[in-house]
Amino acid sequence: MMSATAEASTTINVPVSADAHILSAYPTRNKGTKSYLEISNSPRTDTLLKFNVSGVGTGIVRSAKIRLVPAGSASVGGEFHSATSNNWSETLVTWANAPSASSTIIAKQGAITQGNPVFVDVTSAIQKDGTYSFRVLNTVKDNAPYDYYSRESSSQRAPVLILTVDSSTATPTPAPTASPTPVPVQSATPTPTPAPSPTPAPTPMYESCLTQSGPLVSINGPQSAAYRQTSLAASTKIDSRTATWNGVAWTPVRVGGGDHICSSGGIIQGSWNPYTTPWTTYHDTYAYEIYGNNMIVENMRVDDYGDSFMARDEITLGNNFTIRGNHVTHGHDDCVQDDGMKSGAILDNLFDGCYVFFSARGFGSGPSNVVRVENNLVRLEGTPTYYNGQASDPYDPTQYKHGGFWKIDEFDKAPKLSIHNNIFRADSDSHTWIPLMPDARSISSCSNNIIVWLGSGPFPEQVPACFTLTTDKSVWDNAVAKWKVNHSN
């Protein structure tokens, strides 16, 4: 809708109608439904944007700027070109069929900072109503990839074309999709009120799987080598309650074989220096790899690894996993990785420090699968080294960064989430595209969850109805104390 100003000009906001990034490394793969837009030089990854402009009429476009919200920080923010065609679809476009970039550079964006919107001047390309497509490149050799939020992320972070039009001769009919003022980066959040804590696990919610029938394997005391057994008999019980793996390997425990294997107890401790070890090193470490189907991993203590628990990506492995009663601290990547898109259950765990809580992206396809996330306590924790960067002073916690809770971006492939009776805590916003709140497209059912927000300012995302927002830290502290008492054995 148009609104006249003192200068007799009109502001028209045009939401992006389609956006996608395209990968030269995977020329036939579509990435149009992801919640971020990647731009990279090696391998080449470009971003496409499309806007349907109306409401200009016979007016004069004084300014046309694309507002983008960075999902990360980088020294450059892209080279903007008009695309040679508007004939592309968000859900079908690939590197192989995408329109090319015109030879003229419309604009170059300088350094970008996560969460701080940038406004790219494309006035030279837009002078009247019509459809306009842009292709964004990264031409800086060896520059790290960077991301902007896409329209799938949220309406507050989606790309917007902001037009300033001389309204003295502008068509008075408002644009169907225009909004009165430029879209804000963040929406107002109602003042949070202290919320009662749901009972995440008043007592351990299950009998140990060690009580099941089946062959028994005992692992005791300090271990000097990794335990990797992927051909165990069905229903094998692994009693590792006194076992410890301290700095043993990048993957100290890998278990699989027949169905219904039980793995109970033990301590897995990393030995990397968290202040200096690159995030890329942590990224390739996995404390526990689940190879078996219908497998239970319970009552373990994991500290200082990249991924704490990983269900294997292969289609025949790691299906219907159960991760319960475990205590994780200082996770430098995903506390639970389910990139094979498997069904599973994450129950009654204390994740007291995750860079990212749950990941389901990149491999496989399981849109009919469901992961139950119930009665957990999950806290995000910033780390000195992180994706695409590190703190200039590794001993200054104010420089540490973390991602979000839900690393899911291919909603047509990822499993659905059943989220009930959990408490989540975040002390700052995600420094990546990974959101704090689950996307509605991921949720199969959801109730009685709490998000404890201890960051500065209002909570940065919309809060689903199945979550209660509070700034009362005692909600978290009391729940953690109760969990530890209930799991003291």
Side-chain angles (χ1 to χ4, degrees):
M1 182 176 297
M2 298 185 183
S3 60
T5 69
E7 293 77 21
S9 64
T10 299
T11 296
I12 303 175
N13 293 327
V14 184
V16 68
S17 61
D19 55 18
H21 63 264
I22 51 176
L23 299 84
S24 62
Y26 301 95
T28 60
R29 181 175 295 182
N30 172 259
K31 295 291 184 178
T33 60
K34 290 186 174 293
S35 58
Y36 65 97
L37 301 165
E38 182 175 332
I39 306 167
S40 177
N41 179 263
S42 181
R44 267 283 297 278
T45 302
D46 295 355
T47 278
L48 289 167
L49 304 168
K50 184 187 292 186
F51 299 94
N52 296 320
V53 175
S54 63
V56 174
T58 58
I60 300 172
V61 177
R62 298 299 186 188
S63 170
K65 295 182 179 180
I66 301 174
R67 189 216 65 171
L68 297 164
V69 180
S73 300
S75 60
V76 295
E79 186 177 280
F80 289 71
H81 297 249
S82 291
T84 55
S85 170
N86 297 312
N87 187 24
W88 59 275
S89 163
E90 180 177 87
T91 58
L92 296 176
V93 69
T94 65
W95 184 272
N97 63 25
S100 59
S102 66
S103 58
T104 302
I105 300 173
I106 299 174
K108 288 185 177 182
Q109 175 58 42
I112 57 175
T113 302
Q114 190 270 330
N116 293 339
V118 296
F119 299 85
V120 181
D121 193 335
V122 293
T123 308
S124 62
I126 299 177
Q127 292 299 315
K128 61 182 180 180
D129 292 330
T131 300
Y132 297 88
S133 291
F134 299 91
R135 184 159 173 164
V136 189
L137 326 176
N138 179 357
T139 59
V140 181
K141 185 177 181 181
D142 299 327
N143 188 62
Y146 45 89
D147 307 325
Y148 292 107
Y149 289 105
S150 74
R151 73 190 190 107
E152 282 76 15
S153 63
S154 69
S155 59
Q156 292 76 35
R157 292 171 167 172
V160 178
L161 176 64
I162 302 174
L163 302 178
T164 301
V165 180
D166 183 339
S167 60
S168 60
T169 56
T171 302
T173 304
T177 58
S179 57
T181 58
V183 178
V185 177
Q186 296 180 350
S187 61
T189 302
T191 301
T193 56
S197 167
T199 307
T203 58
M205 304 177 66
Y206 49 85
E207 183 178 46
S208 172
C209 59
L210 291 175
T211 60
Q212 72 182 31
S213 59
L216 176 66
V217 174
S218 295
I219 307 173
N220 299 303
Q223 302 296 301
S224 59
Y227 182 80
R228 296 174 181 169
Q229 297 293 333
T230 56
S231 57
L232 295 170
S235 300
T236 293
K237 300 176 293 186
I238 302 174
D239 183 352
S240 53
R241 288 175 291 178
T242 67
T244 59
W245 289 266
N246 192 338
V248 169
W250 290 34
T251 305
V253 182
R254 177 183 295 159
V255 171
D259 283 5
H260 300 289
I261 292 172
C262 160
S263 179
S264 185
I267 298 172
I268 301 177
Q269 172 70 57
S271 60
W272 294 274
N273 183 334
Y275 300 105
T276 59
T277 301
W279 180 86
T280 51
T281 298
Y282 275 112
H283 180 258
D284 293 328
T285 67
Y286 314 92
Y288 198 112
E289 288 188 333
I290 300 171
Y291 268 64
N293 295 318
N294 302 295
M295 186 172 160
I296 296 174
V297 182
E298 65 176 25
N299 305 333
M300 299 200 75
R301 181 73 172 89
V302 179
D303 180 71
D304 194 37
Y305 266 81
D307 291 352
S308 301
F309 299 98
M310 182 183 74
R312 286 296 302 180
D313 302 328
E314 293 85 346
I315 193 170
T316 59
L317 303 175
N319 295 286
N320 301 315
F321 60 84
T322 296
I323 298 168
R324 68 188 190 189
N326 302 284
H327 183 186
V328 173
T329 50
H330 306 308
H332 291 256
D333 194 14
D334 309 324
C335 275
V336 178
Q337 191 211 91
D338 181 26
D339 288 352
M341 317 295 196
K342 313 298 176 62
S343 289
I346 306 169
L347 313 173
D348 184 31
N349 301 278
L350 172 56
F351 296 104
D352 198 5
C354 300
Y355 179 76
V356 169
F357 166 50
F358 177 78
S359 175
R361 66 187 299 260
F363 303 94
S365 181
S368 62
N369 292 335
V370 175
V371 176
R372 295 167 53 208
V373 182
E374 301 172 6
N375 300 288
N376 300 283
L377 305 177
V378 187
R379 180 176 68 89
L380 295 176
E381 181 179 59
T383 52
T385 63
Y386 41 82
Y387 174 70
N388 262 358
Q390 62 185 52
S392 59
D393 179 357
Y395 301 100
D396 178 5
T398 65
Q399 299 184 29
Y400 298 176
K401 296 183 180 182
H402 60 72
F405 291 105
W406 312 99
K407 192 195 294 183
I408 301 171
D409 57 6
E410 294 182 289
F411 302 103
D412 58 333
K413 297 179 181 179
K416 299 299 184 285
L417 302 171
S418 173
I419 312 171
H420 300 277
N421 305 317
N422 305 280
I423 299 179
F424 300 88
R425 172 181 160 183
D427 296 3
S428 59
D429 195 3
S430 168
H431 85 103
T432 70
W433 62 268
I434 305 167
L436 301 179
M437 290 288 96
D439 191 286
R441 290 168 291 181
S442 296
I443 298 175
S444 66
S445 62
C446 181
S447 69
N448 199 35
N449 301 287
I450 287 178
I451 176 68
V452 179
W453 171 243
L454 301 181
S456 61
F459 188 71
E461 299 179 19
Q462 293 288 346
V463 179
C466 55
F467 281 74
T468 299
L469 174 67
T470 181
T471 57
D472 184 356
K473 184 173 179 289
S474 68
V475 172
W476 172 264
D477 293 339
N478 293 338
V480 170
K482 181 179 291 186
W483 190 95
K484 289 181 177 179
V485 169
N486 294 334
H487 295 78
S488 58
N489 294 324

